[in-house]
């Protein structure tokens, strides 16, 4: 529930004047056939829009049309702009570049994670940033984290009570979570419970993060006030959540492309009511969005046998109603934001024309560019400045235990038996040097990583959960070269081999995200993916591997600023050391 109106009093007076035929609409969508979730059917009529708001839907035509753009929708079908309810907007891309790209295929509202804003932005400038994004044709909402998803000494400062209160109360923040630290809640952390209660008092939702959760865990978390979850990977898990009273977000992402399986299972279980379900791509990496965002998931749903009308509702109205925002988005009706997708047919969710806040993003497959540029300097954002040097002394390894990759994001402990005192490891095995080192040069933690690749010689990344520096590879000299180049380009991802830079992705937004266009970022990621696979990276998504090496919301062991951390026992096994 929003704490403030979208429109000021004088704007509302103008809207009433349009409805009263005293002022011309700015856009008239004529002969429209549009999805109406309240009536649960397709409805024909005219749609009057004034600037960013739908003024009227019905049979009447406006009497005053001077200056009005008239667009004939005959033979086409209109649906509300698609909504992504769970976006991580800094996965190499940034919120601006992501929204500009995915809106072309109809996703016009993003509900976003605030984690990177907590970790990388000054508090006041973070709020200025999300307020300024309201000038964007795409509508942004946010969620408020209760934990930082890793082990950091500074956590209590970054999410101090006054900071948490400001995030929870901000009108653009519409939910708390996601609850990656839920074991703390069940373990008796009353501060965590207090933040949940404060969020609920504001009339806002709480999103869980419950991979593999039992019925008992789901019940206990429901008693704590949790409203939804996106971690179901089978139809049985969806059923279990629905039975426990959760709204379920069906995920299809770059590391969990599960939607076909989920829908097959759901339909086989006899579930035919979809009102408490919607879709998410869960912050996928750039290449996954090559053909769009939520439009792709609607297509999958229709192909799997979900009625088209229900699939569109799952991408629009169901999300809006869940967040108590259906007075603003998710419905083509008076008073709503004028974000509308125009389709060639009911079964084809890929729009030929897209309106976002009354502006054409795409019109008859021709792109427009109604997006303001972002001045990152205004928010204190700049390329990463590393004012220290990496030396061979930082690349000494004596840790008895390393991290073994089960998949792209799950890490298990393993006993290190090979000789890692040498400068270059053999290419005959899949063990590599691994270092996490403070971006300010104060501490480091050195171990080994098994399963990453056989032939990656030098790799450096400032893209990580915390923005600290990850170093991986077989050859210490190539690791040094990769770090040096990382330092020169102001942060990013660098791959080196035999003393040469093979590929680099500059990330000039504090070293964790790119300021380039989405198409450029996709090409850079595509090249990295190819080079990594040629050198033996075996999993779905190397970008998520980098992100989750330090993330303590998944089992079993992580490399964090505090040291090597046992997620299940909640214990630092080997602390980081000061340089």
């Amino acid at each position: 529930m929003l704490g403030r109106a979208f429109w000021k009093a004088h704007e509302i007076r103008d809207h009433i004047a349009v409805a009263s035929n005293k002022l011309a609409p700015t856009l008239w969508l004529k002969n429209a056939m549009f999805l109406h979730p309240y009536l649960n059917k397709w409805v024909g009529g005219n749609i009057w829009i004034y600037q960013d708001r739908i003024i009227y839907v019905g049979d009447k035509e406006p009497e005053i049309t001077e200056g009005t753009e008239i667009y004939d929708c005959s033979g086409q079908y209109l649906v509300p702009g698609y909504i992504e309810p769970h976006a991580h907007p800094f996965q190499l891309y940034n919120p601006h570049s992501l929204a500009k790209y995915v809106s072309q295929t109809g996703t016009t509202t993003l509900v976003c994670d605030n984690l990177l804003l907590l970790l990388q932005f000054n508090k006041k400038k973070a709020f200025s940033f999300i307020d300024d994004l309201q000038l964007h044709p795409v509508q942004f909402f946010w969620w408020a984290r209760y934990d930082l998803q890793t082990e950091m000494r500074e956590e209590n400062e970054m999410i101090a009570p006054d900071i948490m209160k400001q995030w929870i109360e901000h009108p653009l923040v519409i939910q708390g979570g996601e609850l990656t630290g839920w074991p703390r809640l069940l373990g008796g952390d009353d501060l965590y419970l207090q933040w949940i209660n404060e969020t609920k008092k504001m009339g806002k939702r709480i999103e869980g993060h419950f991979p593999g959760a039992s019925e008992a865990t789901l019940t206990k978390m429901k008693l704590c006030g949790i409203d939804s979850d996106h971690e179901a990977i089978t139809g049985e898990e969806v059923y279990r959540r629905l039975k426990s009273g959760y709204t379920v977000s069906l995920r299809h992402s770059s590391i969990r492309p599960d939607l076909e399986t989920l829908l097959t299972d759901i339909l086989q279980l006899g579930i035919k009511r979809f009102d408490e379900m919607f879709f998410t791509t869960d912050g996928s990496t750039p290449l996954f969005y090559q053909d769009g965002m939520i439009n792709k998931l609607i297509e999958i749903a229709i192909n799997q046998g979900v009625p088209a009308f229900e699939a569109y509702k799952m991408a629009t109205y169901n999300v809006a109603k869940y967040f108590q925002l259906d007075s603003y988005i998710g419905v083509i009706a008076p008073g709503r934001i004028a974000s509308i997708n125009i389709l060639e047919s009911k079964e084809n969710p890929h729009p030929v024309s897209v309106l976002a806040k009354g502006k054409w993003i795409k019109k008859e497959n021709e792109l427009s560019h109604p997006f303001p540029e972002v001045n990152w300097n205004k928010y204190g954002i700049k390329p990463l400045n590393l004012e220290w040097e990496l030396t061979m002394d930082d690349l000494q390894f004596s840790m008895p235990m390393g991290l073994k990759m089960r998949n792209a994001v799950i890490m298990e402990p393993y006993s290190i038996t090979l000789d890692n005192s040498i400068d270059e490891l053999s290419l005959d095995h899949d063990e590599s040097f691994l270092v996490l080192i403070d971006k300010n040069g104060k501490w480091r933690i050195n171990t080994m990583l098994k399963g990453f690749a056989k032939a990656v010689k030098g790799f450096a990344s400032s893209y990580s959960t915390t923005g600290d520096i990850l170093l991986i590879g077989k050859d210490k000299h190539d690791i040094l070269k990769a770090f040096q180049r990382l330092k020169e380009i102001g942060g990013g991802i660098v791959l080196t081999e035999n003393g040469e830079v093979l590929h680099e992705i500059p990330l000039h937004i504090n070293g964790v995200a790119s300021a380039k266009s989405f198409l450029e970022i996709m090409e850079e990621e595509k090249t990295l993916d190819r080079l990594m696979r040629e050198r033996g990276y075996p999993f779905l998504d190397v970008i998520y591997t980098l992100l989750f090496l330090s993330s303590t919301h998944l089992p079993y062991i992580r490399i964090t600023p505090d040291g090597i951390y046992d997620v299940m026992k909640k214990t630092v096994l080997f602390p980081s050391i000061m340089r």
Side-chain angles (χ1 to χ4, degrees):
M1 183 180 298
L2 290 179
R4 67 183 181 202
F6 267 88
W7 296 279
K8 297 177 181 177
H10 71 89
E11 293 172 316
I12 294 171
R13 292 298 178 194
D14 286 342
H15 302 160
I16 293 171
V18 175
S20 303
N21 280 305
K22 296 178 180 177
L23 184 65
T26 52
L27 175 63
W28 169 17
L29 300 178
K30 189 176 182 180
N31 301 318
M33 179 65 67
F34 57 95
L35 181 141
H36 203 303
Y38 286 23
L39 298 173
N40 216 43
K41 65 178 183 179
W42 297 91
V43 174
N46 296 295
I47 301 170
W48 307 0
I49 293 168
Y50 186 76
Q51 295 177 348
D52 62 349
R53 197 178 193 190
I54 298 171
I55 303 301
Y56 168 83
V57 300
D59 295 332
K60 292 191 300 184
E61 297 183 354
E63 296 175 10
I64 302 175
T65 58
E66 185 177 352
T68 300
E69 179 184 358
I70 302 173
Y71 185 84
D72 193 342
C73 300
S74 297
Q76 297 177 310
Y77 296 87
L78 281 63
V79 296
Y82 306 144
I83 305 169
E84 168 55 85
H86 188 97
H88 298 282
F90 289 97
Q91 307 290 52
L92 298 187
Y93 46 73
N94 64 72
H96 175 80
S97 60
L98 174 67
K100 187 174 181 180
Y101 186 77
V102 300
S103 62
Q104 297 169 15
T105 48
T107 302
T108 58
T109 298
L110 301 172
V111 183
C112 296
D113 184 4
N114 77 330
L115 180 60
L116 191 132
L117 300 182
L118 289 170
L119 290 168
Q120 299 292 334
F121 279 62
N122 168 277
K123 179 186 69 175
K124 289 183 178 179
K125 291 181 177 179
F127 289 126
S128 294
F129 177 69
I130 67 173
D131 286 338
D132 290 348
L133 278 175
Q134 291 305 99
L135 300 174
H136 208 288
V138 170
Q139 178 61 47
F140 287 88
F141 296 107
W142 298 84
W143 73 73
R145 288 270 190 167
Y146 305 139
D147 63 80
L148 298 180
Q149 202 170 292
T150 190
E151 297 302 304
M152 294 181 66
R153 299 176 183 90
E154 302 89 353
E155 180 173 280
N156 289 338
E157 300 171 19
M158 290 184 173
I159 50 175
D162 64 315
I163 296 175
M164 279 301 309
K165 191 171 186 294
Q166 289 180 64
W167 276 104
I168 290 170
E169 293 178 353
H170 196 284
L172 292 173
V173 172
I174 59 174
Q175 75 172 3
E178 57 184 298
L179 260 65
T180 52
W182 65 267
R184 287 165 50 178
L185 179 61
L186 288 189
D189 189 331
D190 284 338
L191 183 59
Y192 219 91
L193 185 57
Q194 178 185 334
W195 294 133
I196 291 172
N197 287 337
E198 290 297 321
T199 307
K200 300 294 275 190
K201 286 178 185 176
M202 295 294 299
K204 300 180 181 184
R205 297 293 195 177
I206 309 288
E207 183 178 21
H209 180 99
F210 309 138
S214 66
E215 183 180 58
T217 296
L218 290 171
T219 299
K220 292 172 187 176
M221 298 312 298
K222 202 75 184 81
L223 295 172
C224 290
I226 314 310
D227 297 297
S228 68
D229 184 65
H230 60 280
E231 288 292 330
I233 61 173
T234 67
E236 287 289 346
E237 291 189 350
V238 173
Y239 183 87
R240 193 182 303 154
R241 283 158 173 76
L242 291 171
K243 187 178 178 182
S244 297
Y246 287 87
T247 297
V248 182
S249 192
L250 304 179
R251 178 172 55 190
H252 193 73
S253 72
S254 54
I255 56 171
R256 293 290 337 179
D258 295 329
L259 187 58
E260 289 184 14
T261 299
L262 291 173
L263 290 171
T264 298
D265 290 353
I266 288 167
L267 293 171
Q268 287 178 350
L269 287 167
I271 298 173
K272 297 180 180 179
R273 186 178 186 275
F274 302 93
D275 292 20
E276 278 70 48
M277 288 181 266
F278 40 73
F279 306 120
T280 181
T281 59
D282 194 11
S284 294
T285 43
L287 278 173
F288 189 81
Y289 293 131
Q290 186 164 352
D291 298 318
M293 189 180 247
I294 298 298
N295 57 304
K296 290 170 42 181
L297 277 57
I298 302 170
E299 180 179 52
I300 291 170
I302 293 172
N303 290 340
Q304 290 301 113
V306 176
F309 197 94
E310 294 299 325
Y312 289 118
K313 282 173 61 181
M314 292 168 76
T316 58
Y317 177 68
N318 290 7
V319 191
K321 188 174 182 182
Y322 168 77
F323 284 118
Q324 304 168 80
L325 290 170
D326 51 313
S327 292
Y328 297 99
I329 57 175
V331 185
I332 298 175
R336 276 63 174 192
I337 295 172
S339 294
I340 298 172
N341 293 329
I342 301 176
L343 314 176
E344 288 182 323
S345 74
K346 295 176 184 178
E347 289 73 31
N348 183 355
H350 311 295
V352 293
S353 301
V354 178
L355 275 172
K357 294 182 181 175
K359 297 178 180 178
W360 292 109
I361 303 296
K362 182 169 68 175
K363 186 177 180 183
E364 297 177 356
N365 287 317
E366 292 292 324
L367 296 178
S368 301
H369 300 283
F371 297 90
E373 291 302 317
V374 178
N375 177 10
W376 293 104
N377 291 329
K378 176 181 177 181
Y379 312 106
I381 299 301
K382 53 190 177 182
L384 188 62
N385 182 23
L386 300 174
E387 297 181 330
W388 49 275
E389 299 295 333
L390 184 74
T391 70
M392 289 295 281
D393 288 340
D394 292 310
L395 302 179
Q396 303 304 310
F397 296 82
S398 59
M399 185 79 68
M401 186 181 73
L403 281 66
K404 179 182 177 181
M405 299 178 67
R406 177 186 288 185
N407 57 33
V409 298
I410 303 296
M411 310 292 159
E412 302 172 328
Y414 84 102
S415 296
I416 299 169
T417 57
L418 61 73
D419 179 10
N420 57 13
S421 64
I422 56 178
D423 288 350
E424 185 173 359
L425 300 172
S426 167
L427 303 184
D428 294 334
H429 58 76
D430 64 354
E431 294 180 65
S432 304
F433 299 119
L434 171 64
V435 181
L436 180 68
I437 190 163
D438 177 29
K439 61 188 172 186
N440 297 312
K442 295 179 180 179
W443 51 261
R444 61 179 170 85
I445 183 78
N446 298 37
T447 186
M448 302 292 290
L449 179 62
K450 181 174 175 59
F452 183 73
K454 284 189 174 182
V456 171
K457 291 193 169 182
F459 190 93
S461 174
S462 57
Y463 178 82
S464 65
T465 296
T466 59
D468 295 309
I469 312 302
L470 285 165
L471 305 171
I472 307 172
K474 296 278 190 174
D475 188 320
K476 293 180 181 178
H477 296 285
D478 277 320
I479 290 173
L480 285 172
K481 175 69 176 180
F483 173 81
Q484 187 57 40
R485 183 57 183 161
L486 178 81
K487 184 175 178 179
E488 291 169 359
I489 64 174
I493 298 172
V494 179
L495 176 65
T496 56
E497 188 170 289
N498 301 328
E500 300 294 328
V501 175
L502 291 183
H503 186 53
E504 61 188 42
I505 302 178
L507 300 175
H508 288 165
I509 298 175
N510 279 20
V512 296
S514 177
K516 294 183 180 179
S517 74
F518 201 91
L519 287 173
E520 291 175 292
I521 300 162
M522 274 200 298
E523 287 303 312
E524 290 175 341
E525 188 202 0
K526 187 183 296 184
T527 300
L528 178 67
D529 184 74
R530 174 179 59 80
L531 291 170
M532 293 297 291
R533 294 192 183 284
E534 289 173 356
R535 283 154 183 78
Y537 179 81
F539 302 115
L540 282 174
D541 197 326
V542 68
I543 301 302
Y544 257 102
T545 293
L546 301 176
L547 181 66
F548 280 178
L549 277 168
S550 298
S551 294
T552 54
H553 68 298
L554 292 173
Y556 292 89
I557 189 170
R558 302 287 145 172
I559 184 169
T560 76
D562 281 356
I564 303 295
Y565 185 78
D566 186 321
V567 175
M568 310 308 285
K569 295 181 180 178
K570 304 177 184 59
T571 303
V572 175
L573 302 175
F574 300 95
S576 55
I577 63 172
M578 302 306 291
R579 296 179 70 234

